[in-house]
Amino acid sequence: MKTALQHLGDFRWNGVDLLKYKEEDGTFKSITRQVLLKGDQGFPIEMRYFEIGPGGHSTLERHEHTHFVMVIRGKGKALVGDEIVDLAELDVFSVPPQTWHQLQAGGDQPFGFLCMVANERDRPHRPTAEELVELRKNPSIAAFIRS
Ligand code: MN
């Protein structure tokens, strides 16, 4: 992997493939992934760029690993724990371990963000039926989540 990636325009970088967000299923909508940087043992971190199209969203999930996120394109919202956060360019947030999260594009522009994670990480968990019932007890979360 290269150490310096030239921006080619339109949030694409030289030598970086445009990937599916995930291999599985319909728990998300209109989202792409680019792996920009991946460190080695001394710094075992990946920096990825995700982009959600208008009306799209990421999977509602939680896991043991942490995310560090910086928005770099457009506007959107995120559920993080029991908060729904409005997001615009250069806003930053983290998703702590075992915290429910989902990102959604806002408006009619793509919503793009950098997301850093550890190279070694556990697989995300989707909410069970019981956990969904629990999440939906909060009316603003109930109105927000897509699954
Ligand atoms: Mn996640």
Side-chain angles (χ1 to χ4, degrees):
M1 182 167 277
K2 292 184 190 170
T3 56
L5 307 173
Q6 182 191 18
H7 181 237
L8 301 174
D10 200 33
F11 296 82
R12 295 298 312 275
W13 287 267
N14 192 26
V16 178
D17 292 330
L18 192 63
L19 303 171
K20 288 184 195 174
Y21 167 59
K22 290 179 179 169
E23 288 305 321
E24 69 269 25
D25 79 22
T27 64
F28 54 88
K29 187 179 169 194
S30 186
I31 171 163
T32 59
R33 174 170 60 101
Q34 296 177 70
V35 179
L36 302 180
L37 296 171
K38 185 168 183 171
D40 59 15
Q41 318 85 295
F43 188 65
I45 300 293
E46 275 182 38
M47 178 189 278
R48 300 94 47 89
Y49 174 73
F50 293 91
E51 195 168 283
I52 308 180
H57 60 84
S58 66
T59 302
L60 173 62
E61 64 181 28
R62 68 177 177 180
H63 38 64
E64 192 54 35
H65 60 275
T66 296
H67 293 310
F68 284 175
V69 180
M70 175 183 262
V71 176
I72 62 171
R73 182 175 201 178
K75 288 179 172 24
K77 288 177 189 274
L79 169 69
V80 184
D82 55 8
E83 261 192 300
I84 292 160
V85 190
D86 282 306
L87 295 166
E89 283 168 24
L90 305 184
D91 287 343
V92 171
F93 66 97
S94 71
V95 178
Q98 298 302 348
T99 302
W100 292 115
H101 56 286
Q102 182 170 53
L103 287 86
Q104 296 178 14
D108 53 7
Q109 298 299 312
F111 174 54
F113 53 93
L114 299 173
C115 177
M116 295 175 68
V117 285
N119 290 348
E120 301 258 335
R121 54 188 183 271
D122 60 321
R123 292 188 63 79
H125 289 270
R126 304 264 307 125
T128 62
E130 293 76 20
E131 286 168 335
L132 267 181
V133 167
E134 201 55 38
L135 279 164
R136 288 190 172 123
K137 286 181 180 170
N138 178 327
S140 41
I141 294 178
F144 181 79
I145 56 178
R146 308 276 178 271
S147 59

